Amino acid sequence: MCGIAGILTAPGRAVPDGTIDAITDVLGHRGPDARGVFRDRQAGLHLGHRRLSIVDLSPAGAQPMSSSSGRHVIVLNGEIYNHRELRADLERDGQIGWLGTSDTEVLLELCERHGVEVALQRAQGMFAFALWCRDSGELVLARDRFGEKPLFVAETPDGLVFGSELESILAYPGFSDDADDDAIDLFLQLSYIPEPLTPFRGVRKLPAGCFARLKPGDRTMVPQPYWQAGRAALEARAKAVGSGVRQEDIIAQLSRRLQYVVERQMVADVPVGAFLSGGIDSTLVVALMQRSSPRPVQTFTIGFKDEAYDEAPFARAVAKHLGTAHTEVILDWREALDLVESLPDIYSEPFADSSQLPTYLVSRVARQSVTVCLSGDAGDEIFGGYNRHLFATQYERARAFIPSPFRRSLGHALVGLAQPRRQRLLQWLKASAGKSGGTRLLGEKLEKLGSALHSSSDLALYASLVRRDGGLVPGEGLLRGLESVHDTFAGHDLSLAEIMMLLDTLTYLPGDILTKVDRAAMAVSLETRIPFLDHEVLELAWSLPISTRISEGRTKNVLRGLLNEYVPPALVERPKAGFGVPIESWLKGPLRGWITDQVHAFSRSYPRHATVARAALASYLEGRSHGHHFLWNIAMLQAWQQRCFHQTRRC
């Protein structure tokens, strides 16, 4: 895991001395162990690298790295998990004078011998890289299949500038660009900016599973897909149906593949551990790690004194059962609150998933003991673990016999019932139904469900479930974007839950989940690895019918079945709550003055949204709406805007 940056100037243009150093060194948190630059001034090419040493800690693993022939130069951010197998294949094809044992050198030689497209098909890992071909004068940018590692590309008067974070673009001398209003609207709706968009019109993210070929003088980046999750999923399903393979055999293959992936991701020349929440996904990852490890695996959990948000007891029980070397830190909410104003520095782009706070805190705890952490992320997207996936299966059955007008009336009633000022009524109704426990998120979920029942189409239904603005931000950009993504796998007989799972994999996963984990962990120089993001795991999961993943009111049944081999079900069976913080109470309590100031400042910065923002604040403080997510979006956008303006003077 590292940070990369680069410049490809147009013919006749030059950049000041030290520019590549400036846009590289702002990524020092991604790679504190070493730095390097490569310049080909005649070609107008500059490459920079910040190194977090993981595999081959010697100088032989340093970057930028030149191939054995000297014809290619690479900077890589990430890991190639099957580099040992690829190395053996290359050696069988002919003698190579290896300089070291790094995965970067293997990828570089694979590209040189077989070309970038073959290398991308054969490499298994998480990565973003830039490859310079001296002979052709061509720069190739590429990103891993699922989008674990980021890559931003900007158009400037001098040429194209790229980096692992938006911070590199902002550090480029003279960078100035207009805001992308469509991207800002989507951020206010979703809490993140979906790829390929960024806050600026002239900056784009290279999409997941794509590469781009660039020549000096090119003004734009034209991504070319080499792998698409939607296509791979549907092809795997069609192949399984056509072959008649038994479900039991596919599940056995899935079990073996997950074990293989976990073992490969445990390979490193530095200490490796895992995040453990005590939920199904992280527990399965840790169980497979412990099965392969001769010593107790190091696991990490943070807990909070508020029981409604504290996962520590669940993780503690799992760790004890599996025999891990467990680290648990119980925090006061003040320690999370103290980080709020630092979030724009950590993310360097607008980002407002409030679980960014505990994600950063657990990363900081883990980094004190290890350099690499495995995570259970992506299990929900691939195996159907979100509440909306379960809702989709139930809704699809219900709408067959419930008339549309009745659904709309019911939706209106639920939205009214869900108002925060009716919290006591919700508590009474829950108690009357014989349900124990608090009503955390109950009103918010009812409000979202009520809004969903108004939807006119499956995509509109999905949009209503993932929006964080309560429908307050006008515009059809979100629905158009979802339609564009849906077109890549449309025309197949998919259930509503399957449509949602693919949309999550292609949008929410790279835009929210992977962004959150990457920035939070890299802020403390911690590498994260995600075993569920293996393309063969996805293909095996989609070889199974949806009923094996979601049925009888339960999600992720396949994973539950695999986990039963290692952990008693009672240790992990509990309602899904997410990795959250009490934003709703914070904004009415210790952060009330702050959010009020942020909304007023936002109204000046973004006048076209001023009326909506002020109305949302008033409605929220008066208890008429669950507007905390939208207000958090506003606050994070304004905080980023202030940082961007005051620190760079270029936004």
Side-chain angles (χ1 to χ4, degrees):
M1 187 88 70
C2 305
I4 64 174
I7 308 163
L8 184 63
T9 60
R13 306 286 299 205
V15 297
D17 288 342
T19 300
I20 185 61
D21 303 275
I23 70 171
T24 301
D25 287 344
V26 295
L27 302 173
H29 53 283
R30 299 186 74 93
D33 296 332
R35 66 181 299 278
V37 297
F38 169 84
R39 298 178 178 88
D40 186 335
R41 288 190 171 89
Q42 184 175 359
L45 187 279
H46 308 254
L47 298 175
H49 188 264
R50 292 296 309 224
R51 186 183 185 193
L52 177 62
S53 302
I54 301 292
V55 176
D56 190 349
L57 310 185
S58 75
Q63 299 181 47
M65 182 181 292
S66 295
S67 62
S68 55
S69 69
R71 293 188 295 113
H72 291 86
V73 182
I74 195 172
V75 285
L76 168 71
N77 167 29
E79 302 290 341
I80 308 301
Y81 300 130
N82 63 333
H83 68 95
R84 292 178 174 174
E85 294 95 325
L86 294 174
R87 181 184 291 262
D89 291 343
L90 287 168
E91 290 172 348
R92 281 192 290 271
D93 292 341
Q95 184 65 34
I96 292 180
W98 300 107
L99 298 178
T101 59
S102 75
D103 55 333
T104 304
E105 188 177 11
V106 172
L107 178 64
L108 179 58
E109 296 299 337
L110 185 64
C111 288
E112 175 151 302
R113 182 169 290 184
H114 298 292
V116 171
E117 293 185 59
V118 171
L120 289 170
Q121 293 295 337
R122 295 179 63 184
Q124 298 170 12
M126 54 169 186
F127 53 79
F129 68 79
L131 178 75
W132 174 244
C133 177
R134 294 176 187 263
D135 293 347
S136 64
E138 181 180 70
L139 178 69
V140 179
L141 304 179
R143 196 164 170 223
D144 65 72
R145 290 174 173 86
F146 291 95
E148 286 187 67
K149 296 295 100 191
L151 195 60
F152 293 79
V153 184
E155 303 170 9
T156 76
D158 300 318
L160 297 175
V161 180
F162 66 88
S164 294
E165 294 182 11
L166 189 58
E167 193 76 359
S168 285
I169 310 300
L170 297 176
Y172 187 78
F175 172 78
S176 179
D177 196 9
D178 294 330
D180 188 328
D181 290 340
D182 292 337
I184 296 301
D185 288 353
L186 287 168
F187 170 78
L188 291 171
Q189 293 170 338
L190 296 171
S191 304
Y192 66 92
I193 297 177
E195 60 182 40
L197 303 178
T198 78
F200 302 107
R201 292 187 183 278
V203 184
R204 288 292 179 262
K205 302 165 190 168
L206 179 65
C210 289
F211 70 99
R213 299 182 183 275
L214 304 170
K215 290 272 195 176
D218 284 350
R219 294 286 299 153
T220 58
M221 171 183 64
V222 181
Q224 302 176 53
Y226 66 88
W227 187 84
Q228 294 175 296
R231 178 178 295 176
L234 296 175
E235 288 178 351
R237 190 172 75 163
K239 181 179 178 181
V241 171
S243 65
V245 179
R246 296 189 311 157
Q247 292 180 19
E248 294 81 358
D249 294 334
I250 295 174
I251 293 172
Q253 291 179 52
L254 176 62
S255 178
R256 291 192 295 270
R257 182 64 187 182
L258 280 170
Q259 186 70 61
Y260 167 85
V261 170
V262 166
E263 290 174 358
R264 291 299 177 275
Q265 294 194 15
M266 292 174 67
V267 174
D269 296 327
V270 292
V272 177
F275 298 135
L276 180 61
S277 70
I280 293 168
D281 305 331
S282 66
T283 298
L284 181 56
V285 168
V286 170
L288 295 174
M289 291 177 71
Q290 193 60 71
R291 181 181 183 181
S292 302
S293 177
R295 62 184 65 87
V297 171
Q298 295 189 74
T299 54
F300 304 92
T301 300
I302 62 163
F304 294 100
K305 294 178 181 178
D306 184 342
E307 292 184 3
Y309 292 83
D310 186 19
E311 293 185 325
F314 307 112
R316 188 186 314 133
V318 168
K320 181 178 180 180
H321 181 83
L322 294 175
T324 71
H326 192 55
T327 298
E328 175 187 300
V329 177
I330 304 298
L331 300 173
D332 188 276
W333 284 125
R334 286 173 295 183
E335 295 178 73
L337 281 166
D338 288 343
L339 284 174
V340 169
E341 294 185 2
S342 302
L343 290 174
D345 294 317
I346 294 172
Y347 284 85
S348 85
E349 62 184 296
F351 188 78
D353 181 335
S354 60
S355 62
Q356 61 199 127
L357 282 164
T359 302
Y360 172 80
L361 290 168
V362 74
S363 297
R364 191 172 68 181
V365 168
R367 187 62 178 93
Q368 297 173 13
S369 303
V370 300
T371 311
V372 175
C373 250
L374 273 64
S375 162
D377 287 303
D380 289 318
E381 288 80 4
I382 294 174
F383 291 95
Y386 290 127
N387 289 325
R388 57 179 168 266
H389 302 155
L390 181 59
F391 165 73
T393 62
Q394 298 166 339
Y395 177 78
E396 201 163 28
R397 289 194 298 267
R399 70 178 175 184
F401 56 86
I402 300 178
S404 177
F406 180 79
R407 292 201 304 268
R408 288 195 295 270
S409 297
L410 177 60
H412 182 74
L414 289 176
V415 169
L417 179 64
Q419 291 186 15
R421 57 187 175 181
R422 294 195 169 96
Q423 186 77 359
R424 290 184 179 179
L425 175 60
L426 288 177
Q427 291 174 338
W428 179 82
L429 290 172
K430 188 171 184 180
S432 299
K435 303 293 184 180
S436 60
T439 56
R440 178 195 165 197
L441 302 182
L442 178 57
E444 182 184 342
K445 290 177 180 178
L446 283 177
E447 185 177 61
K448 191 173 285 290
L449 174 59
S451 298
L453 292 174
H454 290 285
S455 302
S456 58
S457 68
D458 286 350
L459 287 182
L461 172 65
Y462 177 80
S464 71
L465 292 172
V466 298
R467 288 182 73 153
R468 297 296 191 95
D469 67 327
L472 293 173
V473 178
E476 298 298 320
L478 175 57
L479 203 54
R480 286 198 304 269
L482 291 174
E483 287 170 350
S484 177
V485 174
H486 182 257
D487 286 346
T488 64
F489 60 84
H492 295 266
D493 183 20
L494 296 176
S495 68
L496 180 57
E498 289 173 312
I499 291 173
M500 288 188 180
M501 289 166 61
L502 283 178
L503 288 171
D504 283 337
T505 301
L506 295 167
T507 60
Y508 180 68
L509 178 65
D512 187 306
I513 300 299
L514 300 183
T515 296
K516 175 184 66 180
V517 173
D518 175 80
R519 308 303 191 278
M522 291 312 298
V524 295
S525 306
L526 176 74
E527 174 172 297
T528 49
R529 300 177 177 181
I530 304 177
F532 289 120
L533 288 185
D534 172 78
H535 68 286
E536 291 192 24
V537 167
L538 176 131
E539 290 164 3
L540 287 167
W542 277 85
S543 298
L544 295 165
I546 187 65
S547 59
T548 63
R549 286 175 277 178
I550 305 174
S551 65
E552 299 178 353
R554 297 199 317 170
T555 60
K556 295 187 288 195
N557 285 317
V558 175
L559 296 187
R560 293 174 194 270
L562 296 179
L563 187 56
N564 287 344
E565 182 180 344
Y566 307 99
V567 173
L571 284 184
V572 295
E573 294 291 351
R574 63 183 189 273
K576 187 171 184 62
F579 194 30
V581 292
I583 294 296
E584 189 165 14
S585 60
W586 283 0
L587 296 184
K588 288 182 178 177
L591 293 180
R592 180 170 180 144
W594 174 79
I595 190 60
T596 300
D597 291 343
Q598 290 294 87
V599 168
H600 291 324
F602 170 85
S603 297
R604 295 189 295 271
S605 300
Y606 300 91
R608 65 195 182 92
H609 292 303
T611 301
V612 168
R614 289 178 176 141
L617 178 63
S619 177
Y620 172 71
L621 293 178
E622 293 168 9
R624 290 184 285 110
S625 69
H626 293 277
H628 51 287
H629 290 305
F630 182 48
L631 292 173
W632 187 256
N633 293 353
I634 287 173
M636 289 295 100
L637 180 58
Q638 178 59 27
W640 173 82
Q641 169 75 13
Q642 290 172 328
R643 175 190 182 274
C644 185
F645 179 79
H646 290 299
Q647 292 195 11
T648 70
R649 304 287 180 179
R650 299 185 184 102
C651 301

